[in-house]
Amino acid sequence: MRAELDKLRSGSAGHAGNVGTVGAWDVPEQLSERVGTAHQSMLRYVTLFAKAYEDVIASIESSAKNFDLSDLAARDAASRAGRGIEPRATHESQN
């Protein structure tokens, strides 16, 4: 997931702030402004999405780590089950 996030970020980085002009009369200039605005909006939303995706990845990694720790604790408890008290009680220790 981190590799996919890096690809997403690299694809949205390094783009020029202005897409450029299409021509020298009013219609192409207005089109250029609108395309530039749309381009900036898309980059902004991709950046916001990447941040949200990074938060999801961090939550999944944290959950996986907690699961691993819980699994280890459960295995440890299961391996100790039935062994009884250590050291075993003796007649002398009870007096």
Side-chain angles (χ1 to χ4, degrees), residues 70-81 83:
S70 297
D71 186 50
L72 288 174
R75 288 174 190 257
D76 184 50
S79 70
R80 289 187 316 229
R83 288 189 193 166

Side-chain angles (χ1 to χ4, degrees), residues 43-95:
L43 290 177
R44 182 169 48 103
Y45 286 115
V46 167
T47 302
L48 290 172
F49 175 79
K51 174 63 177 131
Y53 188 49
E54 181 178 26
D55 292 344
V56 168
I57 291 170
S59 294
I60 291 171
E61 289 173 343
S62 176
S63 295
K65 180 180 177 184
N66 289 338
F67 179 81
D68 285 344
L69 293 175
S70 297
D71 186 50
L72 288 174
R75 288 174 190 257
D76 184 50
S79 70
R80 289 187 316 229
R83 288 189 193 166
I85 301 173
E86 293 182 18
R88 297 192 70 81
T90 63
H91 180 68
E92 292 79 26
S93 69
Q94 301 301 313
N95 293 324

Side-chain angles (χ1 to χ4, degrees), residues 14-57:
H15 294 281
N18 187 351
V19 178
T21 57
V22 182
W25 51 289
D26 61 339
V27 173
E29 288 177 358
Q30 291 172 4
L31 176 63
S32 174
E33 289 175 19
R34 290 194 172 108
V35 169
T37 301
H39 183 252
Q40 290 303 315
S41 293
M42 286 188 303
L43 290 177
R44 182 169 48 103
Y45 286 115
V46 167
T47 302
L48 290 172
F49 175 79
K51 174 63 177 131
Y53 188 49
E54 181 178 26
D55 292 344
V56 168
I57 291 170

